[in-house]
Amino acid sequence: MKKIEGSPKSLKQLLQNTKYSIHYYQREYMWQRKHIEELIDDLTSEFLDYYVPGDNRQKVQDYGAYFMGSIVLAGRENAIIDGQQRFSSLTLLLMYLNNRLRTLGQSYSMIEQMIFSEAYGTKSFNINVEDRSDCMNAIFNDQPFDTTDVGESVKNLYSRYNDIIDVFPADDITDDMLLHFCDWLAEKVFFIEIVATTEQDAHKVFVTMNDRGLSLTSTEMLKGYLLSEIKDDAKREKLNDIWKDKVLSLKKDDDKGDETFIKAWLRAQYAETIRETKAGAVNQDFDIIGGSFHKWVRDERDKLGLSSTDDFELFIMKFSKFADVYKKIREAENTFTEETKYIYYNAHVNFTLQPQLLLAPICYEDTWPVIIEKMNLVARFIDLLITARVTNYKSVDYSTIKNYVFNVTKNIRRCSVEDLKARLKAQYENLAYDPAAALPELRLNSFTKKYIKNMLARITGYIEEQTGVASNYCNYMNTQTKNPFEIEHIITDHYEWFTSEYADQEEFRRWRNSFGALLLLHKSINASLNDSKYDYKLSKYCSNEGNIYTESLGNQAYQNNPKFKKFIADNGLGFKPYAQFGKAEITERIQLLVQLVNLVWNTEMFV
């Protein structure tokens, strides 16, 4: 190899007014929501360790640094050979911060220079990939972007940006601290920059770093510690084989699947403390497990009851049992089955703390029927929790709710089925959720959009099930088809058509975005109805292009449909057809939705 240079560089030094390329043969941008959650949680927690309320921005220069690992570059084009995922994700975070500052009427020119730079009068992104530019422009300008027929990298970039909006702890890093955080991110987050003259040399460096002298993972170090306490050679070999088999299966679809499981398992079954949500608070069990969990197990061996060789053997067998439960959870999250459908529902609104909660009540001695029953009870509670919070405009993202979820985790840990029912019922009652109060105020916006779509899909699917038709929920929520379902506004976006009913455009928007004025339709039908009036829309709602919920706006649903009419009568539901659709009709429709929400999100399972 020719000359190789390595030096520590801050994020600002690396990105400010500097162009990078990603060659076509490099892998796609592949990060998923959990990777973004971990990145945001690590960075914001580290910042909050140093920040003291009242600090001015100059104090940030005395804060500690955060090391992001190495980045390997090659040639005059600054081709990124290793580090694309982190660089791209940090750029998305910078865009989020820039957009948030703009909404506050503030600006921070250094952030913009880290996102894009100008040459010969033309601006371009510093991570310069042509087929990503339209998406990146939309994100930078805080505009929606249609991910239909785009590549995997573009789809992932747009999804991860929206994940950042969801998971960034805005309640902890408040508006008055935002510039401090920007300063710290730019000046105190470091990489080791490794630069090779040629791409060939850069790839050699990359291969050497990944194939030789690779550091042991936390999973491997935990295994080594546990097995070292097993005295019997034959037992140690057998347990080693069990461990290896489970890790291999956990990593089958996710190369970090073993670590993700162990963190969820230790938090669910053993962690007793969690960091307080305030600046300067100290990391506790929950937070330490999120990093070097092998060290936590070693340090907390007394808390875990690890004394004799038998204790360590049992701990490894528990690892094996709970790994199987975790794999069952992941299967249920990814594939709809009637037996575990609530786990699937929760996964489809990205409730990433679900595995931790589901693992909490499980006992090592439980049979599989008992495990499934416990998981379903907890999944039903999570489903109720999500609906209760989001319909009252309360976030369920990781950073906002992790402390609450942790307290519930401890409350239901290793419960019997009957005790679990009682505790979950009490937890739900403490939420004091009243759909009749919440739903009239529920409107479509950037926060509620995915939750309203899920609620409409669940309600429509429920009606289908109750009237003898297979639920179409999975299709309603599938965004990977060419013609996915989208939220349809019953009232067309033409305020000038409705001036006699609505005092001004703001009132019109509020009513138009009301929960009772929304449906689900295929994207193509939705687009075709953009400028149509209600009578024409109604003909589409009541055709084979609609569904049972859209059809209920017209007369057709109530004719020659005995199962639907019986469903209405049995539950005393306020379904009725409408020849026109305005404030009075929306109000009635909301009252119907209150009834339906009470049916779909009921607490019968806790009795």
Side-chain angles (χ1 to χ4, degrees):
M1 288 190 287
K2 298 182 180 178
K3 188 177 181 182
I4 303 292
E5 295 181 344
S7 57
K9 293 283 183 71
S10 69
L11 190 61
K12 183 180 83 170
Q13 289 172 318
L14 286 168
L15 283 179
Q16 194 170 30
N17 293 318
T18 306
K19 288 282 188 288
Y20 295 91
S21 63
I22 299 172
H23 286 182
Y24 68 91
Y25 52 79
Q26 293 288 350
R27 72 173 181 156
E28 303 283 352
Y29 174 71
M30 297 294 291
W31 266 27
Q32 300 301 306
R33 183 183 175 98
K34 65 182 178 181
H35 303 115
I36 287 293
E37 284 187 339
E38 290 177 358
L39 175 69
I40 298 297
D41 194 46
D42 286 350
L43 291 173
T44 55
S45 296
E46 188 79 12
F47 168 76
L48 289 169
D49 278 344
Y50 304 112
Y51 177 80
V52 176
D55 277 358
N56 58 37
R57 287 176 63 187
Q58 285 70 36
K59 284 278 188 181
V60 178
Q61 65 185 320
D62 299 323
Y63 291 2
Y66 182 87
F67 178 55
M68 282 291 294
S70 61
I71 179 168
V72 180
L73 307 172
R76 287 176 295 178
E77 292 181 338
N78 260 357
I80 302 175
I81 304 303
D82 184 36
Q84 178 209 160
Q85 309 295 318
R86 286 165 292 153
F87 249 34
S88 297
S89 300
L90 286 166
T91 298
L92 293 176
L93 175 58
L94 290 169
M95 288 181 166
Y96 163 80
L97 294 169
N98 193 55
N99 286 334
R100 187 170 158 193
L101 285 169
R102 279 195 300 220
T103 64
L104 298 172
Q106 299 178 5
S107 63
Y108 195 18
S109 60
M110 182 171 69
I111 285 188
E112 290 196 0
Q113 293 166 10
M114 293 166 69
I115 297 169
F116 63 79
S117 53
E118 185 172 345
Y120 304 106
T122 301
K123 289 182 178 179
S124 59
F125 290 101
N126 290 341
I127 299 180
N128 192 23
V129 183
E130 186 176 350
D131 64 356
R132 303 180 190 180
S133 60
D134 288 344
C135 175
M136 297 294 275
N137 271 310
I139 292 172
F140 181 78
N141 292 302
D142 204 14
Q143 295 174 344
F145 180 74
D146 185 356
T147 57
T148 307
D149 298 326
V150 299
E152 187 175 19
S153 289
V154 174
K155 191 168 292 186
N156 284 334
L157 283 165
Y158 190 64
S159 295
R160 299 299 77 78
Y161 177 75
N162 285 301
D163 289 340
I164 291 172
I165 295 173
D166 278 351
V167 306
F168 191 89
D171 292 339
D172 295 333
I173 298 183
T174 52
D175 293 346
D176 59 318
M177 300 160 55
L178 205 55
L179 288 172
H180 297 68
F181 181 72
C182 292
D183 287 330
W184 180 82
L185 186 68
E187 304 282 1
K188 295 293 183 175
V189 171
F190 280 86
F191 286 80
I192 297 296
E193 179 191 52
I194 299 173
V195 182
T197 306
T198 67
E199 280 195 49
Q200 184 179 17
D201 286 349
H203 279 288
K204 289 179 181 178
V205 171
F206 174 69
V207 169
T208 300
M209 289 172 61
N210 283 276
D211 283 354
R212 301 177 200 163
L214 188 64
S215 298
L216 293 174
T217 67
S218 273
T219 301
E220 291 164 332
M221 285 187 275
L222 176 60
K223 182 186 79 167
Y225 166 62
L226 297 174
L227 290 175
S228 70
E229 299 291 335
I230 307 296
K231 295 178 181 178
D232 185 274
D233 291 344
K235 279 187 178 180
R236 189 187 314 112
E237 185 175 348
K238 180 182 177 182
L239 291 169
N240 180 50
D241 289 340
I242 290 172
W243 185 284
K244 287 196 299 183
D245 287 344
K246 295 303 176 187
V247 168
L248 190 63
S249 65
L250 288 163
K251 296 175 75 168
K252 182 179 178 183
D253 299 313
D254 177 3
D255 60 0
K256 296 287 186 181
D258 56 327
E259 295 182 12
T260 306
F261 155 64
I262 294 173
K263 291 174 187 177
W265 170 50
L266 294 177
R267 286 167 167 173
Q269 289 281 312
Y270 302 107
E272 293 294 340
T273 56
I274 189 170
R275 173 198 173 108
E276 295 180 70
T277 54
K278 64 180 183 181
V282 178
N283 285 340
Q284 300 292 337
D285 290 346
F286 181 95
D287 317 281
I288 297 168
I289 289 169
S292 302
F293 54 76
H294 65 285
K295 185 177 183 299
W296 182 83
V297 170
R298 189 175 67 244
D299 292 344
E300 301 294 341
R301 59 183 292 170
D302 292 338
K303 182 188 293 186
L304 299 173
L306 296 175
S307 177
S308 67
T309 187
D310 290 341
D311 298 330
F312 283 89
E313 180 180 353
L314 178 59
F315 193 76
I316 293 174
M317 296 310 296
K318 286 181 177 179
F319 161 85
S320 175
K321 172 77 172 274
F322 280 86
D324 289 339
V325 177
Y326 178 80
K327 286 188 291 179
K328 179 67 175 177
I329 292 170
R330 286 305 193 198
E331 289 170 8
E333 288 184 328
N334 293 319
T335 305
F336 181 90
T337 64
E338 188 64 28
E339 182 185 45
T340 55
K341 62 184 179 182
Y342 290 94
I343 299 174
Y344 183 85
Y345 294 150
N346 299 332
H348 271 61
V349 287
N350 295 316
F351 192 82
T352 52
L353 285 163
Q354 177 167 240
Q356 175 190 312
L357 270 175
L358 296 184
L359 290 169
I362 308 302
C363 301
Y364 176 62
E365 300 79 13
D366 285 344
T367 62
W368 271 106
V370 171
I371 290 170
I372 296 298
E373 185 176 5
K374 286 183 176 181
M375 290 200 305
N376 282 334
L377 285 167
V378 177
R380 291 287 296 270
F381 168 75
I382 294 170
D383 186 33
L384 289 164
L385 171 68
I386 293 168
T387 303
R389 285 187 65 89
V390 301
T391 56
N392 282 297
Y393 296 95
K394 294 179 180 178
S395 173
V396 290
D397 68 59
Y398 178 88
S399 60
T400 301
I401 206 170
K402 68 178 180 182
N403 286 61
Y404 170 80
V405 167
F406 179 65
N407 288 327
V408 176
T409 298
K410 290 200 298 179
N411 179 245
I412 64 173
R413 186 173 283 163
R414 294 186 288 278
C415 282
S416 67
V417 168
E418 291 308 311
D419 196 15
L420 180 60
K421 288 180 180 180
R423 293 188 182 209
L424 291 176
K425 183 180 180 182
Q427 289 284 351
Y428 177 69
E429 288 173 349
N430 287 338
L431 297 174
Y433 179 51
D434 181 8
L439 298 189
E441 302 302 319
L442 181 61
R443 293 180 174 83
L444 184 68
N445 58 35
S446 58
F447 167 70
T448 61
K449 184 177 181 180
K450 71 179 179 183
Y451 302 112
I452 285 179
K453 182 179 180 183
N454 178 65
M455 290 179 73
L456 289 170
R458 291 282 300 283
I459 288 167
T460 307
Y462 177 78
I463 299 169
E464 289 167 341
E465 288 178 340
Q466 298 301 308
T467 54
V469 180
S471 170
N472 206 29
Y473 173 84
C474 294
N475 288 331
Y476 294 142
M477 295 300 290
N478 186 0
T479 59
Q480 304 304 311
T481 62
K482 288 187 177 180
N483 191 22
F485 280 85
E486 291 185 341
I487 295 173
E488 151 77 354
H489 288 84
I490 298 175
I491 300 175
T492 309
D493 193 13
H494 280 284
Y495 166 63
E496 67 274 12
W497 295 355
F498 307 99
T499 53
S500 61
E501 185 167 11
Y502 302 99
D504 52 38
Q505 282 197 332
E506 181 57 33
E507 184 190 30
F508 172 71
R509 277 195 294 271
R510 285 201 307 272
W511 283 94
R512 181 174 181 266
N513 286 313
S514 292
F515 189 31
L518 304 171
L519 306 167
L520 287 182
L521 283 178
H522 276 296
K523 180 179 179 178
S524 60
I525 305 302
N526 200 340
S528 72
L529 298 177
N530 265 348
D531 288 320
S532 302
K533 294 189 176 180
Y534 178 69
D535 55 350
Y536 178 75
K537 285 188 170 193
L538 189 59
S539 68
K540 294 292 185 181
Y541 297 160
C542 297
S543 70
N544 58 9
E545 294 166 337
N547 52 60
I548 187 62
Y549 187 63
T550 67
E551 289 172 8
S552 67
L553 288 166
N555 289 305
Q556 182 177 324
Y558 308 90
Q559 298 170 359
N560 302 317
N561 199 342
K563 290 184 178 179
F564 183 50
K565 292 167 74 173
K566 184 177 186 301
F567 168 65
I568 295 170
D570 288 348
N571 295 284
L573 298 173
F575 274 104
K576 60 187 287 190
Y578 295 106
Q580 59 185 23
F581 205 79
K583 288 181 182 178
E585 290 75 22
I586 294 171
T587 301
E588 289 186 358
R589 198 76 168 175
I590 290 171
Q591 295 311 308
L592 168 63
L593 283 164
V594 170
Q595 295 178 300
L596 289 168
V597 165
N598 282 323
L599 284 174
V600 177
W601 287 272
N602 64 74
T603 58
E604 293 171 1
M605 64 291 202
F606 301 142
V607 176

